Amino acid sequence: MPKLRSLNLHRLPFTQINRTGFSDSAIESNQLLNNLSKTGRIDEARYMFDKMPERDEFAWNTIIAAYANSGKLNEAKKLFSESPFKSSITWSTLISGYCKNDCEIEAFGLFLQMQLEGNMPNQYTLGSILKLCSRMRLLRKGEQIHGYALKTRLDGNVFVGTSLVDLYAKCECISEAECIFQMVADNKNHATWTAMLTGYSHNAEGFKAIKFFKDMRAEGVESNQFTFPSILSACGAVSDHKFGVQVHGCIVRSGLVANIFVQSALVDMYGKCRDLSSAKRVLEHMEVNDVVSWNSLIVGCVREGFQEEALYLFREMRTRNMEIDDYTYPSVLNSLASMKDTQYAKSVQCLIMKTGFGAYKLVNNALVDMYAKQGNLDYAYTIFNQMTDKDVISWTSLVTGYSYNGAHENAIKLFCDMRISGVCPDPFALASVLSACAELTIMEFGQQVHATVLKSGICSSLSVHNSLVTMYAKCGAIEDANCVFDFMRIRDVISWTALIVGYAQNGRGKNSLHFYNQMIATGTQPDFVTFIGLLFACSHTGLVEDGRCYFESMDQQYGIKPGPQHYACMIDLYGRSGKLSEAKELLNQMVVEPDATVWKALLAACRAHGELDFGEIAAKNLIELEPTNSMPYVMLSNMYSAASRWEDAARVRRLMKSRGISKEPGCSWIELNSKVHTFMSEDRSHPMMNEIYLKIDEIIMLIKEAGYMPDMNFALHDMDEEGKERGLAFHSEKLAVAFGLLTVPPGAPIRIFKNLKVCGDCHTAMKYISKIYLRHIILRDSNCFHHFREGKCSCGDYW
């Protein structure tokens, strides 16, 4: 055999291929053809191939592979059809080309045709097909190839076995991948180990991945540039910073610390483990400006609340003329959402349009979410409306934005449009629309959403369950809230707090205390909101000593500093119990500045007990904090009137009028058959008003016979006695309950909602109505729920 000459093929002129003398030797010609093909010089390889006087099977396979691997599949198939040699290698070469280019139908067609023509697929054929199935998540077809491998006994081949592990892992069948890995037994190589490790990492099995990596090291299997990113991803997923640092040490010792994929994985791991300084150090030592690494650090900064740092990194990327991608913008927009910097947000949006990312769904979703979180709902809706391809994230971002910003009716309407469009809501959309139902107290629609939750199978979502508990509690259906709570397998402090607050608002404070004790018994630590619910429960149940103990335990036992809302609850508790001196003492001991809720509680206590001097101080402070709120003016005027200080009362009313402040008109409403019926005092606009007024006459007559006496303190003062009594009879609460008695089926509770606090006369009347008509009346006012049954109220008259 002649000695092969060493030539620099990259410098070989195209026209001199025929003058090299290689044509005299088939071996030399094949070697040159192979080198040209592997270095991507396909045109030169084809020129040489066409000039070869004799072409053996190796030459044909080489040129077919060159075209197939470069994606020129039509030419590869044409050469395949012309080739006089069609062995299993030739077929595998062509099939491999189609697989690499994700041509599923053609690849499987060739695989079948290969067998029909009597050629047996080998391990490389199966490996190529299985890799295609892995990339395209073709589990069913992959299982068919697995069946073929079993029949031909190729399943024990390491190449096929590794491909099977990769297939099942990427198709989220991690148990099957584990079985295949064990079956490969002694034939495992580093690729097999890496495929299994990557499978654990991608299937959120971070702890298994870490244990597996340790086993891999114990077996003496070396890690490479594919192994390290997978284990680093697992460390980041489970926030195992300590082990991540150890892996970093292994990377340094292996000499792969400069590998860009490994470096990028290190940045991501440190970012997810909340070690931003280490992430930044790795990024600074990278020789290449890798956009993935920069994106990871930006995401880490946003996650940790360092929005300014995230924006600095974004500006630095632009300074370095880096290729910003569609993953960069969502992270930047997320940081702007929490900063509420509308001006900068608009400039970033303009940049998005200029750089051609305006059509990317991922970026548009982030824009909708950003503007919605900033409260710019018109901007958010405009972008959403312009999107041609909306997914569940698009809809959810806007639904959540509407709900979060108090546009509850819009949130519900958009949710309905989402369902009509055929998009299945995710847990975030369901939780948001349930929150809107809770705020609007429309339980019927909330029940329909609950049915959607059950049908969609999202029964394991903690946020949805918590929202359901809150929705039912805020709609006065505390028993239904308790049923949802009992059904929950997993509960957090939000779950317990929702039930504690729910029972407190529904006038069952002792139940709130009971569930608090149960929560503590489970080891769940209370939070800031839990104590607001507890103190509210004590206040509305008259449990002074219990309230004092809970208030003191906040800081002493749980390290939670009381806020203004906690002080307001305690002042309300003392005020309702007639302990005004203790309320004043607590006010003087406050370590935080009293806010409007504190002064409101104190003003209400002063009014209830006729403490005019201190009431004046509370009203003055409240007016300073909330100058447009009519409540302090009205309460102070009423207190002056009760003390027969008519001139002072008139002065407060004139002051209120001169400042353009008007009292919010009281209204009550009932939801019936998904329609809301609203009533104002002495309202005559309802279609059933004739029947309602006749029912009012009947109600007043019956409750008077039972002992009801109209309380003129809640009537207008510029009318005669008969006019005052008539006016009381037509308060919005009474009109609503009359409508309920006419329309709500017997046995069903009558649910009434009022925007203001229920008046004392209506409160008394409701007790008599519940007793005479044998109905459960649930009335939610601006303060809490009142459950009237058999002549009693759940609030115990601490209203």
Side-chain angles (χ1 to χ4, degrees), residues 634-648:
V634 173
M635 290 188 71
L636 186 58
S637 175
N638 290 339
M639 289 174 70
Y640 282 136
S641 297
S644 299
R645 292 172 56 175
W646 308 113
E647 291 185 7
D648 288 327

Side-chain angles (χ1 to χ4, degrees), residues 314-582:
F314 174 64
R315 287 190 288 266
E316 184 67 19
M317 288 178 74
R318 294 186 63 200
T319 302
R320 299 187 182 199
N321 294 318
M322 292 178 62
E323 290 287 338
I324 295 171
D325 63 15
D326 56 325
Y327 291 98
T328 312
Y329 283 116
S331 300
V332 172
L333 293 170
N334 197 7
S335 67
L336 289 170
S338 55
M339 292 178 66
K340 299 190 182 301
D341 189 339
T342 304
Q343 197 61 37
Y344 194 85
K346 290 179 182 177
S347 64
V348 173
Q349 184 184 358
C350 291
L351 182 64
I352 288 169
M353 300 304 170
K354 288 179 182 178
T355 52
F357 285 97
Y360 282 69
K361 183 164 60 178
L362 186 67
V363 176
N364 278 322
N365 285 345
L367 277 169
V368 172
D369 182 66
M370 176 199 65
Y371 280 126
K373 285 178 178 175
Q374 287 186 344
N376 297 316
L377 298 177
D378 290 338
Y379 284 116
Y381 182 76
T382 299
I383 295 167
F384 172 84
N385 203 36
Q386 291 173 350
M387 292 176 66
T388 55
D389 182 19
K390 303 180 183 75
D391 61 8
V392 64
I393 298 174
S394 320
W395 289 92
T396 298
S397 296
L398 197 57
V399 169
T400 304
Y402 278 136
S403 181
Y404 178 78
N405 287 283
H408 304 301
E409 292 182 1
N410 287 340
I412 291 172
K413 182 181 181 300
L414 190 71
F415 180 81
C416 293
D417 293 340
M418 176 183 181
R419 300 292 290 135
I420 292 170
S421 68
V423 177
C424 186
D426 64 8
F428 299 103
L430 291 166
S432 295
V433 78
L434 285 168
S435 176
C437 292
E439 295 303 319
L440 295 175
T441 61
I442 47 176
M443 193 173 81
E444 288 185 20
F445 189 80
Q447 289 172 320
Q448 294 174 25
V449 176
H450 191 178
T452 300
V453 172
L454 296 174
K455 289 178 183 177
S456 63
I458 311 178
C459 297
S460 59
S461 171
L462 184 60
S463 63
V464 172
H465 276 144
N466 289 343
S467 297
L468 279 167
V469 172
T470 302
M471 185 274 294
Y472 280 120
K474 286 193 173 183
C475 289
I478 191 63
E479 289 81 8
D480 293 326
N482 204 343
C483 285
V484 174
F485 181 84
D486 288 340
F487 178 77
M488 295 171 66
R489 294 182 179 178
I490 301 173
R491 303 178 184 124
D492 61 5
V493 65
I494 298 173
S495 320
W496 288 97
T497 299
L499 201 62
I500 289 167
V501 173
Y503 271 109
Q505 290 178 334
N506 281 272
R508 294 165 65 173
K510 291 183 179 179
N511 293 84
S512 294
L513 273 56
H514 166 73
F515 280 105
Y516 174 76
N517 292 332
Q518 280 197 348
M519 181 185 83
I520 298 301
T522 64
T524 306
Q525 294 290 302
D527 64 8
F528 191 89
V529 182
T530 311
F531 282 104
I532 293 176
L534 270 179
L535 297 174
F536 184 92
C538 294
S539 173
H540 285 69
T541 318
L543 303 173
V544 178
E545 290 306 316
D546 290 290
R548 186 183 285 117
C549 289
Y550 289 130
F551 184 76
E552 291 174 354
S553 72
M554 285 182 62
D555 190 10
Q556 295 175 4
Q557 193 169 349
Y558 299 104
I560 300 172
K561 300 294 182 183
Q565 289 175 294
H566 301 104
Y567 283 104
C569 287
M570 286 301 297
I571 288 172
D572 186 59
L573 171 59
Y574 288 137
R576 288 170 183 268
S577 304
K579 300 179 182 294
L580 269 178
S581 59
E582 294 186 45

